[in-house]
Amino acid sequence: MELVRGIQNLRPRHRGCVATIGNFDGVHAGHQAILKRLRADSARMNLPGCVVIFEPQPREYFSPGDAPPRLTRLRDKLALLEAQGVDRVLCLSFNRRLREMSAEQFVQQILIDGLGVKHLEVGDDFRFGCDRSGDFAFLQGSGERHGFTVEAANTVAESGERISSTRVRQVLAEGDFSLAERLLGRPFSISGRVLHGQKLGRQLGAPTANVQLKRLRAPLQGVYRVSVELDGVMQKGVANIGSRPTVDGDGQAHLEVHLLDFDGDLYGRRITVVFHEKLRDEQRFDSLDALKAAIKADFAAARAQWGL
Ligand SMILES: Cc1cc2nc3c(=O)[nH]c(=O)nc-3n(C[C@H](O)[C@H](O)[C@H](O)COP(=O)(O)O)c2cc1C
Ligand SMILES: Nc1ncnc2c1ncn2[C@@H]1O[C@H](COP(=O)(O)OP(=O)(O)OP(=O)(O)O)[C@@H](O)[C@H]1O
């Protein structure tokens, strides 16, 4: 899969493709349905399949303080798009210039001049352009004028409700991991590199791998039963995501994982933490001893759930 960062990096050889546009945060089952259609169009028309995404996502640009937490960082999103058979990703910086583009300019500058789009797949509710003025009817009209076709995919629903990134976030916040798995088409996970922590964990009887979240604001908070794949083996564990109010108050979210029955060094490795079940919310304890006792109880609860 080829990644093109910004329209300035589009070359004449990139012209001529079938395309779709959106945030694709989480690459959930609704997105996967669109991507399946894109693959079919690509084979039928013998053209590469291109996905146009935005970085940051528009809501992160408009309100950085209260944009919803990401389900996938750019790196994970790209890996998931590649796994869905996407040939090319055009990642547009969402900035003032893009924000001020009318729907007409977006079609002309990006879809026609930049990508030479021959066919476009969108969801039935897709809207874009300054003030979200571009919709399916607008795209169809533009297509007739500029010589590309447009198709709208039917809504993909689960339990009678449309699947969306917003819904996946809600379901995760509620701790319903089996529904999240059905919406995502895979279990929810967070990947990252293991960093050195404050080395307090051992004192608490809980050596933990600290997973770097960087700018990811996690869509979860609390203590979870998890598993981590290491050298092809799924290791059972317990994770905490939160600001660790008992020991430090930097306000930053941390993801820490303790692997049950594992004694080894994980520093520097990239791991994927798969979430199974919420055990409790994170709490501020009055003493380290109280925190230690709570963590011990978390391990016992997780062991009981695993049947260990
Ligand atoms: C299973 C588990 C549950 C935890 N629960 C809490 C909690 O409720 N409140 C809190 O302040 N910290 C909690 N922590 C975080 C600990 O404070 C943290 O692991 C400890 O400070 C070690 O940090 P270090 O790895 O940076 O040394 C939890 C950690 C684990 C592994
Ligand atoms: N459940 C779905 N069924 C069909 N198409 C969908 C579905 N969800 C998203 N799409 C389409 O996939 C493309 C990318 O969607 P996008 O990521 O922008 O929105 P979303 O998943 O609905 O997220 P949000 O909750 O942030 O609105 C758009 O064309 C959108 O209409």
Side-chain angles (χ1 to χ4, degrees):
M1 189 179 79
E2 184 186 12
L3 171 65
V4 181
R5 285 180 182 265
I7 20 179
Q8 69 279 10
N9 286 316
L10 282 172
R11 300 286 171 263
R13 68 180 173 82
H14 291 123
R15 290 178 50 81
C17 65
V18 294
T20 184
I21 312 162
N23 288 319
F24 289 91
D25 185 25
V27 193
H28 57 61
H31 296 142
Q32 289 166 27
I34 300 245
L35 297 171
K36 187 174 173 197
R37 294 170 66 118
L38 193 72
R39 282 199 303 276
D41 300 330
S42 166
R44 179 171 49 85
M45 299 176 75
N46 196 23
L47 288 170
C50 178
V51 177
V52 181
I53 58 171
F54 306 99
E55 194 65 35
Q57 294 181 175
R59 284 183 66 186
E60 294 165 348
Y61 172 83
F62 288 115
S63 42
D66 57 33
R70 280 277 182 114
L71 297 170
T72 40
R73 280 180 283 194
L74 180 61
R75 177 190 182 123
D76 307 317
K77 194 190 284 188
L78 293 174
L80 289 163
L81 290 173
E82 181 162 31
Q84 291 290 315
V86 171
D87 299 306
R88 185 176 297 151
V89 170
L90 171 62
C91 182
L92 298 176
S93 322
F94 199 88
N95 52 24
R96 191 160 153 216
R97 186 167 153 232
L98 201 75
R99 178 198 123 175
E100 287 173 353
M101 248 187 215
S102 66
E104 186 63 55
Q105 288 168 325
F106 185 91
V107 169
Q108 183 67 52
Q109 293 177 24
I110 292 163
L111 301 186
I112 308 295
D113 300 342
L115 290 171
V117 166
K118 297 288 178 250
H119 180 78
L120 198 59
E121 284 288 344
V122 290
D124 45 9
D125 71 335
F126 178 69
R127 285 181 165 270
F128 70 105
C130 181
D131 303 327
R132 297 170 56 80
S133 54
D135 58 8
F136 179 68
F138 171 85
L139 282 171
Q140 266 197 324
S142 311
E144 279 164 24
R145 286 195 301 282
H146 294 289
F148 64 87
T149 47
V150 189
E151 250 176 341
N154 290 332
T155 289
V156 180
E158 162 63 48
S159 318
E161 240 184 280
R162 180 184 167 84
I163 301 176
S164 66
S165 308
T166 308
R167 186 165 167 219
V168 177
R169 287 182 200 110
Q170 282 162 356
V171 163
L172 287 175
E174 287 158 11
D176 189 344
F177 290 96
S178 65
L179 180 52
E181 180 165 353
R182 293 205 297 283
L183 301 180
L184 285 170
R186 62 176 189 280
F188 178 73
S189 63
I190 296 179
S191 302
R193 197 166 293 285
V194 176
L195 301 175
H196 290 266
Q198 292 166 13
K199 314 277 154 101
L200 240 177
R202 278 175 201 277
Q203 256 168 272
L204 291 170
T208 56
N210 293 257
V211 180
Q212 188 179 32
L213 292 177
K214 286 197 184 148
R215 282 178 303 135
L216 183 79
R217 278 204 296 121
L220 302 173
Q221 178 281 122
V223 181
Y224 297 87
R225 183 164 64 86
V226 300
S227 44
V228 171
E229 198 232 82
L230 274 183
D231 303 324
V233 180
M234 290 309 274
Q235 298 281 347
K236 300 176 170 68
V238 184
N240 181 56
I241 301 195
S243 56
R244 308 188 296 192
T246 312
V247 292
D248 66 8
D250 66 359
Q252 291 270 45
H254 295 259
L255 165 58
E256 293 175 277
V257 193
H258 171 81
L259 299 181
L260 301 162
D261 307 321
F262 175 86
D263 191 14
D265 191 353
L266 296 178
Y267 289 128
R269 291 179 65 159
R270 225 185 117 75
I271 62 170
T272 298
V273 182
V274 181
F275 291 82
H276 301 298
E277 183 193 14
K278 184 162 184 171
L279 299 174
R280 64 173 172 90
D281 283 328
E282 185 179 46
Q283 272 169 258
R284 188 178 186 289
F285 292 98
D286 291 336
S287 66
L288 284 183
D289 279 344
L291 172 61
K292 196 171 168 178
I295 292 176
K296 203 172 159 200
D298 295 332
F299 291 176
R303 280 187 184 282
Q305 291 296 335
W306 286 120
L308 293 174

